[in-house]
Amino acid sequence: MNSKKLGIALVTGLALLLVGCGNQTSTSKDASSASSSGLLAPKTNSKISQGNLTPQQTVAVITAYAGNKYGNDWATTAKSGQQNGLQVNLYRTNKYQLSDNGQGVAYNVTANGKDTGLVYTVSGNNVTIYENAQSGQAKKLTTVSRADMVQYLNDNGQGQLVNNLATGAKVVDKTNGGLTTPANNGSQTGKSSTSTGQYGNEGPVNVPSELQGTWYTADNDEPGSVTFGAHTFKYTGGDNDGEQMAIYKQDPAFLNNDSNITNQAIMKATKNWMRGMFVNAKGMHWLLMHSWMQTAGAGTYYAVHTETINGQQVKVLVEAGGADMHVNAVYYQSQSMAKQQAGTKYDDLNYMQ
């Protein structure tokens, strides 16, 4: 090799070495950016869609949010969860002393089998987050909406952290099936306390998890919302003040007895009951509901469906009614989207012409 070529080679090698050093410095800065910014993970461009969260993504969002905002055991669990996976155990809220029992279920977040008393409850789209719940002195950290948590995580580049935590996350019912029976409190069962087995009541209807939560609409120039719990339903809008109803299965023979239909005592006892059943029609799985004593009318149908909105696949709640199951309204998981999509008619839904 002549001296000219050797000189070029040495310069090239030096340049590569300097580039390599520069890359190492950049990587080192990236690795330390999370700690220097107070965030649990380095920022990325990965985004979360709050309107399309699975149960695993939901616990990941809550853990990532609480870990970043409040640190301590939430931060430790978030970090461990990336390596060992998250598990959220479902208990009745009476296992803990909480200031807000939500829908009657306490979600206990653990990682690597270690329970450090991290709990949250859910009420509609709002989540109340606690720490130290196992000590009997649960400390409430905040009540925050799913939308606000997602916004915070997206604004701070924590979307990839959420994706990492959601991978392999598990949801486990620790009540030995107890969540299939409504809790004995007004927030879970409505105002009527009459027990299963009376007035044609054959037990609670288990509302699918994808239906649960609060959904908003602005269709028909009438803003409103529906909220489904594990066995409950509430509509708010217009002249309706949002009274919560319990959803039960009904003995088909109950309304065949005319004396039941006209019995004022039964009407009073069941005024907060709905009868529910599931129907497959129009390519969707519907929850069909009537009032408990209703003998005429097709009832109201609700089903979760997916539509393309702003280029993204978004879960919506479709409400339909009548013998032909025409769509009455479409509900969304945020009020802002409900306003944005008000009056929108989707090509794959069955509207009255």
Side-chain angles (χ1 to χ4, degrees):
M1 180 182 293
N2 60 36
S3 60
K4 184 176 182 180
K5 289 183 178 179
L6 179 59
I8 293 173
L10 289 172
V11 170
T12 303
L14 179 59
L16 290 173
L17 180 60
L18 290 172
V19 169
C21 290
N23 285 341
Q24 287 180 338
T25 302
S26 175
T27 302
S28 177
K29 287 181 179 178
D30 287 343
S32 64
S33 64
S35 59
S36 64
S37 65
L39 297 173
L40 289 180
K43 291 185 177 182
T44 69
N45 293 324
S46 181
K47 300 294 184 183
I48 317 155
S49 173
Q50 72 93 15
N52 223 10
L53 295 177
T54 66
Q56 289 77 17
Q57 288 172 322
T58 298
V59 65
V61 163
I62 294 167
T63 302
Y65 176 84
N68 274 291
K69 288 280 284 186
Y70 303 105
N72 296 328
D73 287 335
W74 277 107
T76 301
T77 297
K79 292 174 182 177
S80 178
Q82 292 188 80
Q83 301 297 323
N84 304 301
L86 291 176
Q87 179 168 310
V88 57
N89 302 311
L90 277 57
Y91 297 102
R92 286 291 191 194
T93 48
N94 59 15
K95 175 180 172 68
Y96 305 102
Q97 295 179 19
L98 306 176
S99 60
D100 184 348
N101 288 330
Q103 294 172 340
V105 179
Y107 299 80
N108 169 228
V109 181
T110 66
N112 201 27
K114 186 177 180 181
D115 181 1
T116 55
L118 305 179
V119 168
Y120 65 89
T121 60
V122 177
S123 180
N125 279 333
N126 291 325
V127 176
T128 301
I129 301 172
Y130 301 88
E131 64 182 6
N132 299 326
Q134 86 282 20
S135 67
Q137 300 292 327
K139 179 183 177 182
K140 177 181 173 180
L141 299 175
T142 189
T143 296
V144 61
S145 71
R146 286 187 178 91
D148 285 346
M149 286 189 288
V150 169
Q151 183 73 48
Y152 170 85
L153 293 167
N154 283 339
D155 288 348
N156 287 281
Q158 299 294 284
Q160 189 57 52
L161 172 62
V162 172
N163 293 336
N164 294 343
L165 290 172
T167 302
K170 298 179 181 178
V171 181
V172 181
D173 182 357
K174 291 287 191 176
T175 65
N176 296 320
L179 294 181
T180 61
T181 303
N184 293 322
N185 58 63
S187 65
Q188 185 74 4
T189 62
K191 294 181 181 178
S192 175
S193 60
T194 306
S195 62
T196 297
Q198 291 186 296
Y199 311 135
N201 187 331
E202 293 189 333
V205 169
N206 297 321
V207 176
S209 59
E210 66 174 2
L211 264 176
Q212 294 180 36
T214 300
W215 304 78
Y216 304 91
T217 188
D219 287 353
N220 308 310
D221 296 320
E222 186 176 317
S225 67
V226 296
T227 300
F228 284 98
H231 319 281
T232 59
F233 170 83
K234 180 173 70 174
Y235 171 78
T236 303
D239 296 328
N240 195 301
D241 63 357
E243 191 167 28
Q244 185 162 267
M245 312 292 285
I247 312 170
Y248 294 110
K249 292 170 281 189
Q250 187 183 79
D251 181 347
F254 175 71
L255 292 179
N256 291 335
N257 186 333
D258 290 341
S259 64
N260 288 336
I261 299 172
T262 58
N263 188 308
Q264 294 296 315
I266 295 178
M267 290 182 186
K268 183 177 180 180
T270 62
K271 67 177 183 177
N272 296 107
W273 291 6
M274 303 286 287
R275 71 177 190 266
M277 62 182 295
F278 294 100
V279 176
N280 291 316
K282 309 289 185 182
M284 287 184 266
H285 185 61
W286 303 84
L287 173 57
L288 169 60
M289 297 193 301
H290 298 77
S291 64
W292 195 254
M293 305 295 287
Q294 184 177 341
T295 58
T300 305
Y301 298 80
Y302 291 96
V304 175
H305 186 56
T306 301
E307 294 290 353
T308 302
I309 301 174
N310 299 330
Q312 293 189 340
Q313 295 293 294
V314 176
K315 287 183 180 179
V316 300
L317 179 69
V318 181
E319 177 191 302
D324 294 324
M325 296 179 64
H326 290 131
V327 173
N328 298 327
V330 177
Y331 292 76
Y332 307 86
Q333 290 181 303
S334 72
Q335 290 176 301
S336 60
M337 184 168 285
K339 291 178 181 178
Q340 171 191 305
Q341 298 299 114
T344 300
K345 292 192 174 183
Y346 300 97
D347 293 340
D348 59 342
L349 297 182
N350 178 41
Y351 295 91
M352 183 177 290
Q353 301 300 319

